[in-house]
Amino acid sequence: TYTADITAYYCGTAFDSTRFQVTPNTYDAAVSVAGLPTGITTPLGVDGVTVAQMTGGDTHTMAFAISTSHTFHVDEYVSGASGYRYYAASNTWTASSAGSNTFTYETQVYLDTSTNPQGVTSVTSSKWFARGSAVVIADAPSEILDDQGVKYVLSKWTVDGIARSGNGFSLTMDAPHTLVANYDIYYLLSVQSDYGTPQGQDYYKAGTTAVFSVISPVSVNLGAQQVFVEWQGDYRSDEPHGSLTMDGPKQVIAVWRLSYTQLYMVVGIVALAAVMVSLGAYLWRKRQIAPTVTPPPPILPSARAAKPEVVGCTSCGGELLRWH
């Protein structure tokens, strides 16, 4: 409200004066923006209509009719360079009389978190943080098993591509950061065999060589044997040992054949031994019952002078020599 004094002079000496009040029919509202860097702008709206583009340090003043109310607004979030944005905690203001208001933006930076390979497990979520704040990064699982024969083993964390020791730590968000939990991949080698003490079943790091084997032959009941025949599955060979490059989960299966060769050999050896024993016993007995040879009768002195006579043998048809 203004007071006006008016004095009028006339005829050089006479004058008159009066005083009255003048009330303006508008009021001024001033709006400022703080926290936005040069080159980054936000639209200023009044009652839903954009009236100006404002950057940090700008002020915009408008006049409105007295007894009217108007709402001012700016964007809650304003994008900046990659990984940067600006946030206004309060982005609206209503004026119904003369006054001013400052929309203040704080700088936020983005934390991009992931796993390598992608989607192995859940880690601290990617999100925006106030620049300069500290973020606690939760531990990532040290091992992850799935039901497809794959195991993931945490090898390291990287921050912006640089390895960081430890699992679980605090990170200062002084700038945008990329955080990755890196896992090594291991594949399961399944070695299936009913005999032969199978060796080699385990998880192997991707790209490495897995060695496996069985022992053959294997003795079973009554001298029979199980003899290794071949490997089936992801490896084919008739050798009882082998190796595979682990570029995925693998399975090898040992095939066996029942063999009686050893049993036949044992039976043959036993039979031969029995024959030898029997033959030895027979010869021993034969020596024990050998016939006694009766020596010829002694030649008497008188007979030495006698003369022999050949006579016929009536019982055998041969000839006999008789001495006289």
Side-chain angles (χ1 to χ4, degrees):
T1 299
Y2 302 91
T3 299
D5 291 329
I6 298 177
T7 301
Y9 294 90
Y10 54 92
C11 296
T13 58
F15 70 94
D16 197 1
S17 66
T18 184
R19 173 172 287 188
F20 60 91
Q21 292 183 330
V22 177
T23 301
N25 61 354
T26 62
Y27 65 90
D28 290 339
V31 176
S32 300
V33 170
L36 289 182
T38 302
I40 305 297
T41 63
T42 182
L44 172 64
V46 180
D47 301 329
V49 178
T50 300
V51 296
Q53 293 290 331
M54 302 185 68
T55 188
D58 286 352
T59 298
H60 189 76
T61 302
M62 298 183 66
F64 300 97
I66 291 178
S67 300
T68 61
S69 178
H70 303 276
T71 299
F72 299 80
H73 60 87
V74 293
D75 287 347
E76 182 179 13
Y77 296 100
V78 178
S79 297
S82 178
Y84 287 86
R85 76 176 184 183
Y86 305 92
Y87 167 64
S90 175
N91 67 319
T92 62
W93 174 61
T94 299
S96 56
S97 61
S100 64
N101 180 71
T102 298
F103 293 112
T104 301
Y105 284 89
E106 71 171 16
T107 302
Q108 293 186 335
V109 289
Y110 192 66
L111 175 63
D112 183 6
T113 60
S114 62
T115 62
N116 179 30
Q118 286 284 346
V120 169
T121 187
S122 296
V123 292
T124 300
S125 299
S126 300
K127 60 187 301 184
W128 292 92
F129 294 92
R131 185 170 61 182
S133 61
V135 180
V136 176
I137 307 301
D139 289 359
S142 58
E143 284 191 1
I144 303 165
L145 289 173
D146 69 10
D147 56 0
Q148 303 299 318
V150 182
K151 178 170 71 171
Y152 301 94
V153 178
L154 181 66
S155 60
K156 62 183 176 181
W157 284 92
T158 57
V159 180
D160 302 329
I162 301 174
R164 175 161 185 159
S165 61
N167 184 16
F169 47 86
S170 180
L171 181 65
T172 300
M173 295 301 295
D174 51 354
H177 290 299
T178 299
L179 183 64
V180 180
N182 295 271
Y183 283 84
D184 290 331
I185 303 175
Y186 287 74
Y187 295 119
L188 176 63
L189 172 63
S190 174
V191 182
Q192 298 184 13
S193 179
D194 294 332
Y195 308 96
T197 315
Q199 301 291 323
Q201 176 162 314
D202 204 347
Y203 283 91
Y204 295 86
K205 191 174 181 178
T208 60
T209 299
V211 178
F212 52 92
S213 64
V214 291
I215 298 172
S216 177
V218 179
S219 297
V220 291
N221 295 334
L222 301 177
Q225 291 180 316
Q226 288 288 347
V227 178
F228 174 81
V229 177
E230 64 175 352
W231 292 104
Q232 294 183 354
D234 293 313
Y235 182 79
R236 302 302 293 265
S237 174
D238 58 1
E239 295 293 332
H241 51 79
S243 62
L244 278 170
T245 298
M246 297 301 291
D247 54 3
K250 303 290 184 180
Q251 181 185 57
V252 293
I253 304 168
V255 178
W256 298 82
R257 172 177 56 83
L258 185 62
S259 172
Y260 292 97
T261 301
Q262 186 182 45
L263 178 60
Y264 296 153
M265 293 178 62
V266 171
V267 171
I269 292 172
V270 171
L272 179 60
V275 170
M276 296 300 293
V277 170
S278 298
L279 179 60
Y282 168 76
L283 294 176
W284 180 82
R285 288 196 301 270
K286 186 175 180 181
R287 286 196 299 270
Q288 297 298 319
I289 61 175
T292 302
V293 178
T294 303
I299 301 175
L300 299 175
S302 59
R304 292 191 184 96
K307 296 181 179 181
E309 178 185 5
V310 178
V311 296
C313 178
T314 58
S315 61
C316 65
E319 294 181 343
L320 297 174
L321 186 63
R322 184 171 58 185
W323 294 86
H324 296 278

